[in-house]
Amino acid sequence: MKYVLDRFADEIRSAINTTGRVPPDLIELAEPKANVPADLAFPCFRAAKASNMAPAQLAQQLASAIKISRDSLIGGVEAAGPFLNFTVNRRQLAQNVLAEVGQQGQHFGGDDLGQGQKVVVEYSSPNIARRMHVGHIRSTIIGQSLNNILSFLGYETISDNHLGDYGKQFGTLLAAIEKFGRPEGEGESILAKLEEIYSRYNRLLGSINADDFDADAAGADDTARAWSLKLEQNDPTARELWQWMVQATLQANQRNYDRLAVRFDTQHGESFYADMLPSVLGQVEEAGLAEREAGGALVVKGLPDRNGKELPTFLVQRSDGATLYLTRDIATIIYREQTYHPAKIVYAVDQRQELHFRQVFALTKALGYARDIELVHVPFGTIFGPNGEALSTRKGNMVYLEALLDDAVARAKSIIEQKLSEGKTDLTPEQVAEIAEQVGVGAVIYNDLYQDPKRNITLDWERMLSFEGNSAPYLQYTHARCRSILREAGTLPATCDAQLLEAEQELAVLKQLARFPEAVRRAGGNYAPYVIADWLYTTAREFARFYRDLSVLKAATPELRAARLQLVAATAQALANGLALLGIGAPERM
RNA sequence: GCGGGCGUAGCUCAGUUGGAUAGAGCAUCCGCCUUCUAAGCGGAAUGUCGUGGGUUCGAGUCCCGCCGCCCGCGCCA
């Protein structure tokens, strides 16, 4: 899809090309630094070298050779040393941007580049019978945003919550329920109780490490093993209890998902693929990719990754015959290939799984599957406690998602109430509650999306719940200010003369709006929601300057007022679109 | 040991396939609410871009070495 800045760049390339002085493959455009009074530049170094000329000389020649028609998007061209600088035609830009936002509304910024292609996005993936904690927040928030962005780019996305509902911890859980009784309650409290009896049972086994399942339960407890076996053999009692745990977990998590605007198309847990495992193992062995060791384990050695590097040895089957999650991940890819035929499968999963995914992807491809599927692991860093210490249930410093959201919302509420008492805003109690929810939750989401996901995060409550500067509330506030002006104005004029928007502040906002589509494409291409966050923040700042200097409602003429109102409406729309891609709400007032 | 990630202002981070004077927020200091919401705006101050080489017209960005921090490397997920 071509937006106004795309056409602007096309026109420039074509104009340079028409001069016949630059080979087409050397026409590369770059965005000038902020201090340069130009919108797009052609650095002439390479082209000059090719034609044995000084760069500045070529720039000069090109500048005089290029002719600009009256209705062109190019407003001007000028040589600045070795750079050929182009400025956009302000009037054309204003008209085009306002028309694009006006016509496309909530679709402005979207694209059709993913048309006809499916993408499976796997994220969140919490464990059954456990509360969602900081470890799941990132996957959930980043994954949902990626899903939104890819969908906005025209891909048909299938969001999948790959629940941890399989594995040996369920034997222990069933044994724990048998011993301590089935917990009662509602929502997360029931999960908290399950965690409690689980770790109590683990302590019985002599394990204190209940947090990351590395307890070596071998030989420790026959009961847990027996339950594990029963579950695998579809024993009715075991199945019923397991089913109940799954349901209780889904129900509790759903509340968090609703608050975070997280939606799944499917929630197939690992157990969903259980039937496929024997076949996968058979294929691995048949293909000669793995060796059966004396103990019975099936081991893959020396498998090259996509760069030809040898991967460390890994197991696809334990010596006791059980499968591993790597095996299940392969089955999952095969299922997705056969069911959806996706162009990509995107995993929003912890950075520490990097090797795991290289192994999964390599073995899957080696088996002949997913040949046409781009398998993408989008890794993110770890969240540490305020002092940089690791968070764990064991240490008692774990941060749970629901509590975190509640904290943020409470904080937002008290700030709104303060504004109310200062007479700075006027809201009903219902509105206060609703806005506090959007603002508080938005702050938490934004804290996770405003930077490159690869970075680790050290929790800092002050910053996380900061409502100033580069934060979700600031963006929401800017949106609310726009809406406030539009409310005061009453009806929005149907048409306006966009050419009246000639002030620098207006132009800066218009340019920023025009950059949104490219920001969305870059966010999608790099699996980087922070690109959207960056764009939102810059847009809000530009709008704040406009807001400070130029009155909309008291504009000098009715025509100018109408044009500015359209600009405000477009800004509000674009901000709302960007926030939606991050999963953040845009309240009408604050 | 091998592999992955990170290193930019006191703190938290941006910095497109190499391009023009390295940018924000927070914190600090100084200003701005009779005027569309001050969750805002303006100004001041803050940098051997971890380090040493190399590539070239040009390197925070690419290549190599080194240092520091985090993580991963068969029977957990």
Side-chain angles (χ1 to χ4, degrees):
Chain A
M1 192 174 287
K2 296 280 188 188
Y3 285 94
V4 59
L5 289 186
D6 301 321
R7 298 196 297 275
F8 176 53
D10 285 349
E11 280 194 31
I12 291 173
R13 279 192 207 93
S14 149
I16 296 173
N17 197 39
T18 320
T19 65
R21 292 164 199 256
V22 180
D25 56 312
L26 290 184
I27 303 179
E28 282 175 1
L29 304 178
E31 239 177 78
K33 301 266 179 194
N35 56 334
V36 178
D39 298 305
L40 212 49
F42 173 54
C44 297
F45 303 98
R46 223 161 285 154
K49 198 171 202 176
S51 52
N52 238 328
M53 214 188 273
Q57 191 190 353
L58 177 61
Q60 277 296 347
Q61 290 188 5
L62 289 172
S64 49
I66 288 173
K67 293 178 199 67
I68 302 163
S69 68
R70 195 103 188 106
D71 61 344
S72 171
L73 280 171
I74 303 174
V77 57
E78 192 181 42
F83 294 90
L84 187 63
N85 285 340
F86 294 87
T87 50
V88 72
N89 180 324
R90 299 180 169 210
R91 299 179 159 192
Q92 288 283 344
L93 177 77
Q95 275 175 341
N96 278 275
V97 171
L98 292 186
E100 283 171 0
V101 183
Q103 280 160 22
Q104 298 183 49
Q106 58 181 0
H107 303 293
F108 171 70
D111 214 296
D112 53 11
L113 62 88
Q115 207 83 114
Q117 296 183 68
K118 291 182 186 171
V119 179
V120 177
V121 189
E122 173 182 313
Y123 55 100
S124 195
S125 310
N127 294 320
I128 295 301
R130 321 204 114 219
R131 286 171 287 178
M132 286 176 72
H133 55 69
V134 285
H136 306 108
I137 295 176
R138 303 210 74 190
S139 176
T140 305
I141 290 173
I142 293 167
Q144 182 62 45
S145 181
L146 290 175
N147 189 72
N148 297 343
I149 292 165
L150 292 171
S151 166
F152 205 49
L153 289 172
Y155 293 97
E156 182 185 332
T157 60
I158 297 127
S159 56
D160 188 14
N161 192 2
H162 195 63
L163 301 164
D165 64 352
Y166 193 106
K168 69 184 198 183
Q169 74 269 29
F170 286 95
T172 310
L173 272 165
L174 293 174
I177 290 174
E178 183 187 45
K179 184 158 181 69
F180 304 118
R182 177 156 146 177
E184 287 174 17
E186 215 199 334
E188 277 203 346
S189 75
I190 210 164
L191 303 183
K193 288 175 192 164
L194 280 168
E195 285 171 28
E196 206 273 312
I197 63 170
Y198 175 82
S199 78
R200 235 204 297 176
Y201 198 89
N202 255 317
R203 281 198 294 274
L204 284 183
L205 301 176
S207 165
I208 50 158
N209 196 349
D211 191 45
D212 47 18
F213 296 115
D214 71 355
D216 181 7
D221 191 59
D222 296 337
T223 317
R225 285 185 165 277
W227 274 111
S228 188
L229 192 64
K230 278 192 198 173
L231 184 59
E232 233 166 274
Q233 293 167 343
N234 288 323
D235 169 83
T237 310
R239 286 292 299 182
E240 192 268 330
L241 280 174
W242 176 83
Q243 198 60 251
W244 167 79
M245 285 191 283
V246 171
Q247 280 316 310
T249 308
L250 287 179
Q251 246 172 47
N253 291 345
Q254 193 56 47
R255 297 212 300 221
N256 291 325
Y257 290 147
D258 288 344
R259 298 177 82 177
L260 293 169
V262 167
R263 310 245 181 290
F264 294 107
D265 295 308
T266 62
Q267 302 204 61
H268 293 153
E270 290 180 69
S271 65
F272 180 81
Y273 307 95
D275 294 346
M276 296 174 66
L277 300 176
S279 156
V280 172
L281 292 172
Q283 292 175 59
V284 172
E285 214 172 352
E286 229 172 274
L289 292 164
E291 319 168 1
R292 182 72 66 185
E293 282 190 344
L298 197 54
V299 182
V300 179
K301 288 183 180 167
L303 186 70
D305 72 0
R306 66 182 103 188
N307 301 320
K309 281 189 191 167
E310 234 179 58
L311 290 163
T313 304
F314 60 96
L315 261 62
V316 289
Q317 190 176 24
R318 294 193 328 220
S319 45
D320 66 359
T323 57
L324 291 120
Y325 84 126
L326 188 142
T327 325
R328 299 191 283 276
D329 270 358
I330 291 170
T332 304
I333 295 175
I334 296 171
Y335 172 84
R336 287 171 179 161
E337 175 170 32
Q338 291 169 351
T339 309
Y340 309 115
H341 309 289
K344 308 168 196 266
I345 303 177
V346 177
Y347 297 82
V349 179
D350 195 302
Q351 200 167 44
R352 286 171 290 194
Q353 309 278 330
E354 188 265 349
L355 175 59
H356 165 75
F357 280 113
R358 265 166 56 209
Q359 292 170 328
V360 170
F361 297 165
L363 187 52
T364 305
K365 298 266 186 190
L367 286 169
Y369 292 104
R371 288 232 160 100
D372 305 320
I373 303 178
E374 191 188 346
L375 301 168
V376 185
H377 174 209
V378 180
F380 53 81
T382 312
I383 298 186
F384 295 101
N387 302 317
E389 80 278 18
L391 294 169
S392 80
T393 313
R394 206 164 62 252
K395 290 185 190 161
N397 62 354
M398 187 50 82
V399 176
Y400 295 96
L401 177 51
E402 189 169 63
L404 178 62
L405 295 178
D406 288 346
D407 268 12
V409 171
R411 168 124 177 198
K413 192 165 182 232
S414 82
I415 288 178
I416 294 168
E417 275 160 358
Q418 191 188 325
K419 303 285 173 197
L420 276 171
S421 72
E422 290 168 2
K424 286 183 172 162
T425 185
D426 181 27
L427 302 165
T428 65
E430 291 77 29
Q431 286 173 327
V432 170
E434 193 184 327
I435 293 162
E437 176 73 17
Q438 291 196 65
V439 170
V441 172
V444 172
I445 294 176
Y446 195 78
N447 184 254
D448 218 314
L449 293 181
Y450 83 100
Q451 67 184 47
D452 189 321
K454 281 198 293 291
R455 305 193 85 99
N456 293 334
I457 291 180
T458 300
L459 281 183
D460 178 339
W461 299 109
E462 204 54 40
R463 181 159 28 88
M464 183 154 196
L465 302 179
S466 160
F467 291 176
E468 288 162 20
N470 190 359
S471 67
Y474 172 55
L475 304 176
Q476 293 170 316
Y477 177 69
T478 306
H479 173 264
R481 281 173 138 187
C482 291
R483 300 301 309 170
S484 172
I485 293 173
L486 297 169
R487 252 195 327 275
E488 292 284 319
T491 54
L492 191 63
T495 57
C496 75
D497 184 359
Q499 303 195 358
L500 297 173
L501 301 173
E502 289 182 313
E504 286 310 315
Q505 297 92 327
E506 293 162 337
L507 194 70
V509 175
L510 285 164
K511 281 183 189 172
Q512 192 51 29
L513 295 180
R515 291 190 187 109
F516 184 50
E518 177 56 21
V520 177
R521 288 191 286 241
R522 210 151 68 80
N526 298 338
Y527 306 101
Y530 75 87
V531 174
I532 305 281
D534 236 41
W535 175 85
L536 282 165
Y537 182 57
T538 308
T539 307
R541 299 211 79 197
E542 290 300 352
F543 182 80
R545 297 195 175 104
F546 162 75
Y547 183 93
R548 175 196 61 200
D549 296 335
L550 304 168
S551 176
V552 176
L553 299 177
K554 290 174 186 159
T557 65
E559 291 76 20
L560 185 57
R561 182 177 186 269
R564 284 184 182 161
L565 277 172
Q566 289 290 355
L567 180 61
V568 172
T571 305
Q573 181 70 63
L575 287 173
N577 290 4
L579 285 167
L581 291 177
L582 302 185
I584 298 173
E588 284 293 305
R589 51 181 97 213
M590 283 174 71

